[in-house]
Amino acid sequence: MTFALSRRTLLASTAAVALPSWLRVPAAFAQTKGGTLVVAADTEPRSLNPAIVASNGVFYVASKVVEPLAEMDYQTGLRPLLARSWDASDDGLSFTIHLREGVTWHDGEPFTAADVAFSAMEVWKPLQNLGRVVFKDLETVDTPDDHTAILRFAVPTPGQLIENALPALTSVLPKHVYADGDIAENPANLEPIGTGPFKFAEHKPGEFYRLVRNEDYWEEGKPYLDEIVYRVLPDASAKSAAIETGEIDLTAFSAVPLTDLARLEATDGVTVIPGGYEGITYDLTVEINHRNPILANVDVRKAIAHAIDRNFIVDVIFLGYARAATGLVPASAEAFYTDDVTLYDFDPAAAEALLDEAGYPRGSDGTRFSVSLRPAPWFNESRAAGDYVKQALQRVGIAVELVSADPGGHIKAVYTDHDFDLAIGTPVWRNDPAISTTVLYQGGLPPGVPFANQYGYDSAEMNELIAAGASEVDPAARVAIYADMQRLAADELPLLPLVEFTFTTVARERVQNVANNPRWATSGWADVWLDA
Amino acid sequence: MRVASLIGGGLVCLVVLVAVFASQIAPGDPAAMVARPMLPLFSPGHLFGTDQFGRDVLAGVVHGARISLLVGVAAALATLGLGTAVGLAAGFLGGFADAVAMRVTEAFQTVPTFLLALALCGVMGASLTTIVVAIAIASWPLSARLVRGEVLRLRTLEYVDAARMAGLRPLSIALTVVMPGALVPVAALFGVTVGEAILVESALSFLGLGDPNVFSWGAMVANGRTLMRTAPAVALLPGMAIAVTVLGISLLGDRFATRQRPS
């Protein structure tokens, strides 16, 4: 099976890259124009519409075609893309966006405020996985002229939140393409039309996606590349070999085995780049089902926190490419992060003492009680963490039975059926606590909302903090509310944050301008170029 | 032929001994993270080294023998039990029941055994029991057809007629007169089925559909696969264990099958 696949993908790549690299004409100047960048794709998302499915798998391909209003930036925080500037009203009821002029869609139509209004009202708010939360109080979008859009909210909505949501949540769709018919069934979801630096060219299922340069891109002189080809290479070892031989130029999202990184770093012409993912930091967590009366006891949860060695997970499972977490806001999110919270050191003796006091002494076989543990199956590291947590808990007398399932089965079991005691989860931080972090603590969500509080945890105090943060328009006051939330979360431990991790990119050295913004792999790549 | 079967017998004995004395050879839980990760081969106290999480590879290989033999034998018994029951019923009842049973076996035989087991494990969830059940459901038709053929042949023989004339009830004839004879080729199938079951279990575990609570050879190969370039032994040793076990069983099984063949 593996052989057939690699041969097929090899053929695909030779078809896409017409000439071997040594035959290409070398260019003489810095920031050379031209060339084909071949990158590895892990998955083939069913939809390539980032305005509906705001996920990294979709952005990886589609963010080069469909642009958001602004992108994250290391120096300025946010870099304007389709928006030139924006300002929030003091009462939090409106958010004015001034749009770039002279931008055209890939099919030649002009880009106007009507497209933004359409995307916001018809797509981000009702259809988008993240937008449903952030834009829930969006009432209408006024377009006084072709290049101004004013978002109007029914209740005060923090301008800080909307600003932080610009990179991931505001991919703009062309109204003239989507206005008629069912948005979810539009053919442009598979062959996207945007304003981005690259146009969608073709997708051969199981083989590759191909994007080509947008000659009419609004930023003068960009993009530099002629083409981007995403070769579908699901196997981690195959990706590792392909980058070594130069068959591909780049793999993102730590797609090669971590154990290969040292060897690849030492390979001529290959470089390992750790940054460029701060805006999409993941957390590895132990999710806890509070419907289990034993786990509903906060002292038991604290004992579990003391029983797990976060440094072991960082050093052995992530080989150092992670850091111990103090909460679900990552340390790289300087605006919101606080480490002034209760910390739980690795201390098995303290764990055992807490469990004894909680009324769960070791039985005659050394076991206090048994729990099931479902590790999220999508990362090697989340599965490995399941193996480790089992060992760590057994050491303090908690028997653990691992339960494995495919991704769909795992999501259903944990987030719909609540059929678990413990799970290893991987929630993602998206630049503001109110986008995808507070939902992990908020009580009263209906079953079936994935990556959210399906844990049976419902604290009035926590719910109040979350509601306050969602409507506080003063940025400093809002930061203070979320600091309180982090403290409360550390005291009550509704779920255990273990480590925070981002990814690494492995690239051939000739690829330039890699990892130059905090969402690099999911940004537009207009400034990426190939050194001949 | 004799040499081959001696080698087969030796290998099978070795694997059985290792499985029986696994806890003496490598005490403790093979999944325990006991030492520094990635120790090389022949490290003191860890003859086969350790994997990327500090698990002893030797412990994994010897305890894996238990899992493989357990699954292999259990799945073979379940497969042959199911197949014999269906084959006996079909051959003896004949007519409509026979036709239905044979069409069902054909339907099953059109689907590759491994794919069917894969689908069943995906649906039923991963545990050793579901793997045994899945293998049995996926591979019973062969033995069912074999038993049916034997029953059809045997029921025309004189000693069966004699039993009938002696006034034995049909059920007793089926179970006491015909079945012993029909079981001979099934017994020859036993070794092959054990070997196949071990391979299917390894492949399922390799694909992550095995029981995550046991440390099986297939799962070890899957885990070690990412280390192939840096520490090949982590994947190769359990892989060799699978190869040695299946080779031993099939050499021995061949010998047994030839001996059963009427000369």
Side-chain angles (χ1 to χ4, degrees), chain A residues 235 259 263 316 384 390-391 402, chain B residues 31-32 52-53 213 225 229:
Chain A
D235 184 76
T259 44
R263 190 170 50 80
V316 175
K390 173 178 170 150
Q391 293 293 321
L402 288 170
Chain B
Q52 71 268 48
F53 304 120
N213 293 290
R225 197 173 57 116
R229 301 290 295 270

Side-chain angles (χ1 to χ4, degrees), chain B residues 52-246:
Chain B
Q52 71 268 48
F53 304 120
R55 295 178 294 211
D56 187 87
V57 176
L58 176 68
V61 170
V62 298
H63 285 267
R66 285 189 176 176
I67 305 301
S68 283
L69 288 185
L70 179 71
V71 169
V73 172
L77 288 176
T79 302
L80 300 183
L82 186 60
T84 306
V86 174
L88 208 59
F92 225 80
L93 295 175
F96 184 66
D98 184 32
V100 169
M102 286 308 104
R103 293 303 84 75
V104 171
T105 61
E106 279 160 15
F108 271 86
Q109 284 181 316
T110 56
V111 186
T113 308
F114 180 68
L115 287 186
L116 187 56
L118 190 73
L120 288 169
C121 278
V123 173
M124 295 191 295
S127 78
L128 283 186
T129 318
T130 56
I131 289 177
V132 168
V133 171
I135 294 174
I137 291 178
S139 42
W140 64 272
L142 180 64
S143 51
R145 294 186 77 97
L146 198 67
V147 169
R148 170 185 173 268
E150 278 299 294
V151 170
L152 290 183
R153 187 176 68 83
L154 291 173
R155 64 186 292 183
T156 61
L157 297 185
E158 284 92 345
Y159 76 95
V160 179
D161 287 338
R164 196 172 292 133
M165 274 188 291
L168 280 181
R169 290 163 177 280
L171 188 65
S172 336
I173 297 175
L175 293 180
T176 61
V177 182
V178 177
M179 189 168 84
L183 278 183
V184 173
V186 171
L189 209 55
F190 183 77
V192 183
T193 314
V194 171
E196 266 179 20
I198 290 175
L199 281 179
V200 170
E201 189 275 333
S202 299
L204 288 172
S205 298
F206 178 79
L207 293 175
L209 283 166
D211 187 333
N213 293 290
V214 300
F215 219 60
S216 88
W217 288 337
M220 289 179 75
V221 176
N223 172 53
R225 197 173 57 116
T226 57
L227 307 172
M228 272 312 270
R229 301 290 295 270
T230 35
V234 177
L236 288 182
L237 287 168
M240 282 160 58
I242 298 172
V244 163
T245 308
V246 174

Side-chain angles (χ1 to χ4, degrees), chain A residues 198-506:
Chain A
F198 295 92
K199 294 183 182 183
F200 184 85
E202 61 177 321
H203 173 210
K204 279 229 156 73
E207 297 179 24
F208 64 89
Y209 296 93
R210 192 166 63 88
L211 312 182
V212 298
R213 181 217 305 270
N214 174 11
E215 301 290 349
D216 301 318
Y217 190 54
W218 52 263
E219 194 174 2
E220 203 53 48
K222 287 181 183 165
Y224 296 126
L225 296 169
D226 284 339
E227 277 189 327
I228 305 174
V229 172
Y230 293 82
R231 273 186 55 192
V232 179
L233 272 180
D235 184 76
S237 307
K239 277 190 273 255
S240 182
I243 193 115
E244 235 177 324
T245 57
E247 272 179 63
I248 57 173
D249 298 306
L250 186 140
T251 90
F253 291 109
S254 298
V256 303
L258 289 178
T259 44
D260 278 358
L261 288 179
R263 190 170 50 80
L264 287 171
E265 179 71 289
T267 305
D268 261 358
V270 176
T271 168
V272 175
I273 304 156
Y277 297 94
E278 295 77 3
I280 39 176
T281 300
Y282 280 74
D283 246 287
L284 192 76
T285 61
V286 178
E287 301 174 288
I288 299 168
N289 193 342
H290 295 243
R291 295 169 191 86
N292 178 326
I294 300 174
L295 299 173
N297 184 333
V298 68
D299 288 326
V300 171
R301 300 200 294 273
K302 287 179 179 171
I304 292 174
H306 278 302
I308 297 171
D309 185 358
R310 291 165 171 74
N311 291 325
F312 180 93
I313 298 177
V314 170
D315 294 339
V316 175
I317 294 179
F318 286 94
L319 299 178
Y321 292 94
R323 57 170 277 160
T326 59
L328 285 190
V329 177
S332 59
E334 286 161 18
F336 293 104
Y337 176 75
T338 174
D339 60 3
D340 177 23
V341 298
T342 313
L343 299 176
Y344 301 89
D345 299 332
F346 174 53
D347 187 347
E352 299 228 29
L354 276 167
L355 290 168
D356 286 338
E357 279 167 36
Y360 302 103
R362 279 181 186 264
S364 53
D365 59 351
T367 300
R368 300 169 188 277
F369 55 87
S370 309
V371 292
S372 68
L373 172 62
R374 284 182 176 271
W378 37 82
F379 291 122
N380 278 334
E381 291 76 22
S382 57
R383 288 192 301 264
D387 289 344
Y388 167 68
V389 168
K390 173 178 170 150
Q391 293 293 321
L393 295 186
Q394 283 179 341
R395 231 167 277 162
V396 298
I398 302 173
V400 176
E401 193 205 352
L402 288 170
V403 184
S404 65
D406 61 304
H410 177 84
I411 290 173
K412 182 165 184 294
V414 175
Y415 300 106
T416 302
D417 300 340
H418 308 142
D419 175 22
F420 71 108
D421 293 320
L422 301 176
I424 303 289
T426 62
V428 59
W429 163 261
R430 289 185 191 274
N431 211 17
D432 191 287
I435 297 177
S436 57
T437 305
T438 54
V439 290
L440 293 161
Y441 296 113
Q442 189 178 334
L445 296 174
V449 179
F451 313 115
N453 175 4
Q454 299 291 353
Y455 315 131
Y457 166 75
D458 200 344
S459 145
E461 199 183 344
M462 182 64 88
N463 293 344
E464 274 167 34
L465 283 173
I466 291 170
S471 60
E472 175 57 64
V473 294
D474 176 52
R478 200 164 166 263
V479 166
I481 289 170
Y482 287 126
D484 287 342
M485 193 191 102
Q486 289 171 69
R487 274 187 282 275
L488 183 65
D491 289 337
E492 297 197 341
L493 284 182
L495 70 167
L496 305 185
L498 296 179
V499 303
E500 54 189 60
F501 63 101
T502 60
F503 302 96
T504 50
T505 302
V506 181

